[in-house]
Amino acid sequence: MKRLYSWQSSTRLFLQLSCKYMQFMKLSAGLLPLFFAVACTTPEIKNDLIVQLNGEAPDHLVVKSSVEVDTLALGAEAQYEFSNSGTENYLSINSPGVRRMIYLEKGKTATAVLTATNVTEPLAFTGELKNENDALGALIELDKAYNKGLREALQQDWDGFLAGHKAYLAQRDSVVKAMPVTEKFADMEAKRNEVLMQSGAFLHYNYHPQLVADAQPSPQACIDIIESVGFDDASLMNVPEYMDVAQDKLEYNLGDVDFETSADVVKAKLSMTEKIENETIKIALQRSTLEDHIRYSGVDEIADNLSVFYANADAKSKESVQKLAEPWMKIASGNDAPELVMKDAKGTEVTLSSFKGKAVYIDFWATWCKPCLAEIPALEELQKELKDENIAFLSISVDKNLEDWNNFLANNDAHGVQLHQGDSDGLVKSEYLVYSIPRFVLLNEEGKIVNANAPRPSGDALAYIKENALAKK
């Protein structure tokens, strides 16, 4: 299998290989990731980030530093005072309709009034860091405007793209220079611009050939910027975009190597990180590499790598990876498949356990998911190849709108067992951790999981199923 760039990175938004279930996604370079919370916790921020909260709690606010995510209550008009006794400079916040970044410096405070009603209004800051956060707000608006035209910009040749990208970074620089900000803020934003230049080079390198037919190879000027990305300056860890760019550089360093599985890519990247001398950056890259893989592909094929990481990482990084890996252990190979209750086109309930005695190949999909629809021809061919085998093919729709699914079945000659499980009970996400689709799961005849992230029909599913789920003849 040709190595595919991981779509989690902020510079990989344009040609994603899967649809994010529930539309979860990251914003592109210069903007903030989105963070969603499912429940409120007490207003306590770890990693020396202190938030003082006044107000009721009808809604929620997510606060994220580079290593922690916490959820706070969000009142109808609540005042938050943010301060920092540690080394963090940028804090990401998110609530329904509010997505912002807050700038902090040790020993200084920034106070923001957040409302649950006027959520589209820019945040109003007071306190010692008002100017810095007002400037940051202007930069965020500038970033949003630039990203709206980014796809079109990437279709230009390198010189044309570079001219536009430099103009964008010059605008960012002008915003900072026009405000009476601290020297520290100006220095951090200068570093951000350097990283965003590198991010732009990666964007053009990765996507221009995919957006433009017969595109010319990236010129040396682009390659020089890419190769300037280093792993030796720990201060860059405070730059929000640095980890994405560092991951881009790791993948660039892999070269044009063919890998059989995404786990093979992870193993290769982890091996390269061992050569990084800066321990902080090395552990951070190992952590993000593992977390990106675990979040969407599980732990089955990287157990040895996890053991090595746990033995060498700091406590906080180890805890973060373990927390993400733990739910996947429940659906690791050899465990009983969690029960699901679905409905067929007639509205009759069907349980997953009713297929016990056969191998089962599950396709979690939706009618709105283009990558899902693209897999259907290969899935139908797979069913033909295995029509004489003891295996059931379950296409489980997670469409929220039942009518969309019914209309699809009415207008298409769908094969296999067609079922609907709109995840109203949350089990598709909570039990099978389906946050992106299409997602394929393989069970053996005993109802045990063979692979909770099985190969796609368009990949090597046929050989994999024969080797791992069907009784040898």
Side-chain angles (χ1 to χ4, degrees):
M1 182 183 81
K2 185 73 173 177
R3 175 170 62 85
L4 300 172
Y5 287 101
S6 61
W7 54 260
Q8 288 87 354
S9 172
S10 67
T11 61
R12 298 176 177 31
L13 297 175
F14 303 96
L15 297 169
Q16 296 175 358
L17 302 175
S18 61
C19 293
K20 258 54 111 239
Y21 190 28
M22 297 298 289
Q23 313 295 324
F24 286 11
M25 66 179 290
K26 286 188 177 181
L27 301 180
S28 53
L31 296 184
L32 297 179
L34 311 187
F35 297 92
F36 293 80
V38 295
C40 291
T41 61
T42 55
E44 175 186 356
I45 299 297
K46 302 174 184 177
N47 195 39
D48 296 322
L49 290 164
I50 304 165
V51 178
Q52 296 176 355
L53 165 67
N54 298 301
E56 298 300 324
D59 220 316
H60 69 263
L61 168 73
V62 175
V63 181
K64 182 183 184 297
S65 71
S66 65
V67 293
E68 299 288 350
V69 179
D70 287 273
T71 307
L72 305 181
L74 175 60
E77 187 169 313
Q79 178 173 290
Y80 296 82
E81 183 177 276
F82 300 87
S83 62
N84 181 16
S85 60
T87 59
E88 298 289 337
N89 290 113
Y90 293 94
L91 185 70
S92 303
I93 65 171
N94 178 74
S95 71
V98 176
R99 301 181 184 103
R100 274 296 303 267
M101 198 183 326
I102 291 177
Y103 176 77
L104 300 173
E105 289 182 12
K106 186 174 181 178
K108 296 182 179 181
T109 61
T111 301
V113 175
L114 307 177
T115 70
T117 52
N118 298 323
V119 292
T120 59
E121 298 293 325
L123 293 186
F125 285 92
T126 60
E128 299 165 284
L129 295 172
K130 170 179 167 52
N131 291 337
E132 290 70 26
N133 281 288
D134 286 347
L136 186 57
L139 291 173
I140 290 170
E141 293 305 312
L142 184 61
D143 293 338
K144 288 179 181 178
Y146 177 73
N147 278 286
K148 285 181 180 179
L150 192 51
R151 183 184 179 94
E152 290 73 22
L154 289 169
Q155 296 178 47
Q156 300 180 59
D157 62 17
W158 169 249
D159 289 338
F161 171 78
L162 181 62
H165 198 63
K166 283 184 174 179
Y168 153 64
L169 296 179
Q171 285 182 292
R172 295 185 97 259
D173 188 53
S174 295
V175 168
V176 175
K177 289 180 178 178
M179 300 283 286
V181 297
T182 65
E183 183 178 347
K184 176 66 175 177
F185 178 79
D187 179 62
M188 290 303 300
E189 284 302 321
K191 288 185 176 181
R192 284 188 73 195
N193 273 8
E194 291 176 8
V195 172
L196 288 173
M197 174 58 78
Q198 295 167 334
S199 177
F202 276 114
L203 277 167
H204 198 271
Y205 177 83
N206 289 329
Y207 287 107
H208 181 71
Q210 301 184 53
L211 294 171
V212 177
D214 301 320
Q216 296 298 309
S218 297
Q220 189 60 44
C222 177
I223 300 301
D224 288 344
I225 295 173
I226 286 173
E227 293 185 346
S228 71
V229 176
F231 304 115
D232 55 354
D233 184 358
S235 70
L236 291 174
M237 293 292 293
N238 278 335
V239 175
E241 296 81 10
Y242 173 69
M243 283 305 297
D244 282 330
V245 170
Q247 281 287 352
D248 287 337
K249 181 64 179 296
L250 276 184
E251 293 178 357
Y252 170 83
N253 287 345
L254 288 176
D256 294 325
V257 179
D258 288 346
F259 291 98
E260 290 297 323
T261 68
S262 60
D264 291 335
V265 178
V266 171
K267 293 174 186 295
K269 289 170 69 175
L270 291 175
S271 177
M272 284 195 299
T273 63
E274 291 298 332
K275 302 175 183 178
I276 297 174
E277 294 182 1
N278 187 289
E279 193 70 13
T280 300
I281 293 177
K282 178 172 77 173
I283 293 299
L285 279 171
Q286 290 176 345
R287 170 181 163 178
S288 65
T289 297
L290 289 167
E291 288 183 339
D292 280 351
H293 180 81
I294 293 168
R295 190 172 286 111
Y296 299 98
S297 300
V299 298
D300 278 346
E301 298 177 306
I302 60 168
D304 291 344
N305 303 98
L306 286 173
S307 297
V308 172
F309 178 78
Y310 293 154
N312 296 291
D314 59 276
K316 193 167 291 185
S317 297
K318 178 180 177 181
E319 179 184 2
S320 177
V321 174
Q322 284 179 324
K323 184 177 180 180
L324 195 62
E326 184 177 353
W328 282 93
M329 300 304 295
K330 298 178 182 178
I331 52 174
S333 178
N335 288 351
D336 290 331
E339 181 66 290
L340 286 177
V341 179
M342 302 147 289
K343 289 186 178 181
D344 63 19
K346 297 180 180 179
T348 303
E349 284 194 351
V350 179
T351 62
L352 180 58
S353 59
S354 66
F355 293 90
K356 191 173 183 179
K358 291 185 175 183
V360 179
Y361 186 68
I362 301 172
D363 171 17
F364 289 108
W365 72 292
T367 58
W368 49 261
C369 169
K370 291 183 180 180
C372 300
L373 301 180
E375 287 290 332
I376 289 178
L379 178 60
E380 292 177 348
E381 187 62 32
L382 182 63
Q383 293 176 44
K384 291 179 184 178
E385 290 284 346
L386 297 175
K387 61 183 176 63
D388 296 326
E389 300 291 345
N390 187 37
I391 184 171
F393 290 88
L394 274 57
S395 292
I396 303 177
S397 164
V398 295
D399 280 285
K400 294 298 181 184
N401 189 331
L402 182 62
E403 185 178 351
D404 290 343
W405 178 64
N406 284 325
N407 288 339
F408 181 90
L409 295 184
N411 293 302
N412 294 275
D413 183 21
H415 297 264
V417 181
Q418 298 294 326
L419 301 169
H420 182 263
Q421 216 287 348
D423 203 26
S424 58
D425 55 11
L427 292 180
V428 171
K429 291 192 293 292
S430 65
E431 297 293 336
Y432 285 89
L433 307 178
V434 177
Y435 292 102
S436 68
I437 53 177
R439 168 83 171 279
F440 298 89
V441 177
L442 181 62
L443 313 180
N444 65 18
E445 296 170 353
E446 298 175 351
K448 295 185 180 296
I449 290 175
V450 175
N451 193 331
N453 189 40
R456 295 185 178 193
S458 59
D460 58 352
L462 178 61
Y464 188 87
I465 291 171
K466 286 182 175 180
E467 178 67 26
N468 296 281
L470 297 177
K472 302 293 188 295
K473 295 181 179 179

